[in-house]
């Protein structure tokens, strides 16, 4: 049986395998550790953390849709100080590779979060979530405009110091995702997370009212996978040297493989975890078997394979 080099890189950091959790779907990993050793996946990407504790939006804030779900959580979380005190030590004590996702209401808040992270050792990268669909003010979806996306990334870069890789999480709700990617690559991001959820809505035909208290929500799950594959393919084609963490409806190893072929250097598992808490581990094993079956001995040779000779 041939062996596989399953490792991958984002910026200066190496990960033992390319299967990560998706931000927001596994909190900081504690619950998942009942099901498998958290150190065995490539990285835990934590729920986007803000400067202050937040209760999030009113309920109901989740709704089922065909092949997917809508969420309108509103970035609930303990705030950066409690997160750094409790969650990071737990993750590091459990030998997890950690990518901290941050979200702010203003450009300055991202800078404050980055400055706090600067003092923390053992973190592998920061995911800058500039694409949350559930903010009250749609003007705060920084990833919808190149200028605001750039302002956030510059603020994070100024404040974080050192070599910590910065991964910008982009929204699919734009006309030209390559243009947004270009803007943040120009100011030095080390990687991109593609894609966040798509803005959607469900109306209950019995009550004749929106199902979510927040009215709109982010659509995730298998329904959005072709959108994610398209975005990854387009961005990889334009910027083949920029690592992409792909996500959006990955439920099995074949779905993950599709994203890798499109150009993803790593794949995050999100919504699938709600139905199957061991999904990330299963997908890791399935992807590794599939790569070997297809004749790959080095995971990195499969990244962007769908572009070759096209
Ligand atoms: C949320 O907490 O509202 C979701 C975060 C996100 O999709 O970025």
């Amino acid at each position: 049986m041939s062996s596989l080099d399953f490792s991958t890189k984002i910026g200066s950091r190496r990960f033992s395998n390319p299967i990560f959790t998706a931000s927001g779907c596994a909190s900081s990993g504690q619950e998942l550790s009942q099901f498998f050793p958290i150190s065995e996946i490539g990285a835990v990407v934590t729920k986007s953390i803000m400067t202050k504790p937040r209760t999030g939006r009113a309920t109901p804030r989740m709704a089922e849709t065909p092949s997917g779900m809508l969420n309108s959580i509103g970035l609930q979380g303990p705030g950066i100080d409690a997160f750094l005190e409790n969650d990071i030590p737990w993750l590091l004590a459990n030998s997890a590779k950690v990518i901290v996702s941050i979200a702010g209401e203003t450009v300055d808040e991202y800078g404050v979060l980055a400055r706090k992270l600067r003092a923390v050792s053992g973190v592998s990268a920061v995911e800058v979530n500039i694409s949350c669909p559930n903010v009250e003010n749609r003007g705060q979806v920084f990833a919808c405009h190149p200028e605001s996306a750039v302002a956030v990334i510059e603020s994070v870069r100024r404040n974080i110091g050192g070599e910590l890789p910065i991964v910008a999480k982009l929204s699919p709700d734009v006309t030209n995702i390559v243009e947004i990617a270009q803007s943040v690559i120009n100011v030095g991001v080390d990687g991109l997370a593609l894609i966040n959820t798509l803005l959607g809505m469900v109306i209950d035909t019995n009550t004749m009212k929106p199902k979510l208290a927040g009215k709109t929500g982010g659509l995730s799950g298998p329904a959005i996978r072709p959108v994610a594959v398209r975005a990854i393919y387009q961005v990889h084609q334009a910027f083949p040297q920029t690592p992409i963490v792909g996500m959006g409806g990955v439920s099995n190893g074949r779905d993950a493989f599709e994203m890798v072929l499109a150009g993803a250097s790593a794949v995050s598992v999100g919504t699938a975890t709600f139905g199957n808490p061991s999904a990330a581990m299963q997908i890791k094993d399935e992807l590794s078997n599939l790569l070997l079956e297809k004749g790959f001995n080095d995971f990195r040779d499969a990244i962007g394979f769908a572009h070759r000779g096209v």
Side-chain angles (χ1 to χ4, degrees):
M1 177 85 182
S2 41
S3 68
L4 174 71
D5 180 347
F6 208 13
S7 65
T8 194
K9 275 187 88 181
I10 296 176
S12 55
R13 306 303 163 104
R14 189 178 163 280
F15 299 84
S16 64
N17 69 76
I19 300 299
F20 301 175
T21 61
S23 165
C25 299
S27 189
S28 292
Q30 283 94 333
E31 289 90 349
L32 290 191
S33 69
Q34 303 165 56
F35 300 94
F36 59 85
I38 210 76
S39 57
E40 289 194 11
I41 51 173
V44 173
V45 185
T46 57
K47 166 86 181 156
S48 299
I49 196 79
M50 302 192 76
T51 54
K52 300 262 160 47
R54 244 169 111 98
T55 50
R57 293 194 119 176
T59 57
R61 50 192 194 178
M62 278 165 115
E64 276 190 59
T65 64
S67 298
M69 59 169 260
L70 278 187
N71 88 77
S72 166
I73 306 302
L75 294 164
Q76 179 182 346
I80 187 76
D81 292 332
F83 171 79
L84 293 182
E85 203 176 309
N86 304 316
D87 298 73
I88 291 290
W90 183 88
L91 283 160
L92 297 179
N94 282 273
S95 308
K97 280 270 164 82
V98 186
I99 298 179
V100 175
S101 182
I102 59 171
E105 286 185 8
T106 63
V107 170
D108 286 348
E109 276 188 18
Y110 283 93
V112 168
L113 291 160
R115 212 169 315 131
K116 295 211 178 213
L117 275 179
R118 181 186 191 137
V120 180
S121 58
V123 170
S124 294
V126 57
E127 176 192 88
V128 186
N129 181 359
I130 49 175
S131 51
C132 177
N134 299 327
V135 290
E136 310 266 348
N137 173 2
R138 293 292 298 162
Q140 287 167 356
V141 184
F142 300 97
C144 288
H145 313 278
E147 303 77 22
S148 52
V150 163
V152 172
I153 299 302
E154 285 182 332
S155 171
V156 172
R157 176 59 78 207
R158 254 194 324 276
N159 285 284
I160 208 138
E163 292 298 306
L164 197 63
I166 297 176
V167 176
K169 186 166 188 177
L170 302 189
S171 170
D173 288 335
V174 292
T175 309
N176 185 353
I177 198 162
V178 174
E179 182 192 12
I180 308 286
Q182 163 114 60
S183 69
V184 293
I185 289 170
N186 285 349
V187 290
V189 293
D190 302 276
L192 298 165
L194 302 176
I195 54 174
N196 207 324
T197 53
L198 286 94
L199 191 65
M201 188 173 189
V202 174
I203 294 176
D204 184 328
T205 49
N206 292 317
T207 64
M208 299 182 287
K209 298 273 163 43
K211 270 200 180 169
L212 297 174
K215 296 194 177 72
T216 58
L219 179 64
S220 63
I224 74 166
R225 204 176 69 246
V227 178
V229 171
R230 181 269 301 166
I232 294 164
Y233 190 93
Q234 287 180 326
V235 172
H236 182 78
Q237 185 159 40
F239 310 107
Q241 304 308 327
T242 302
I244 295 171
V245 183
M247 71 205 73
V250 171
S251 309
N252 55 50
R254 204 163 277 281
D255 298 344
F257 190 45
E258 187 184 8
M259 287 197 178
V260 172
L261 297 173
S265 292
V267 175
S268 279
V269 180
T271 303
T273 302
F274 297 130
N276 172 14
S278 301
M281 277 299 282
Q282 285 174 15
I283 290 169
K284 177 189 137 186
D285 292 342
E286 287 169 9
L287 176 61
S288 136
N289 290 338
L290 202 46
L291 285 160
L292 286 170
E293 203 180 296
K294 294 287 183 191
F296 292 103
N297 294 115
D298 188 332
F299 165 71
R300 281 168 288 180
D301 292 340
I303 298 170
F305 194 86
H307 294 260
R308 300 201 196 136
V310 175

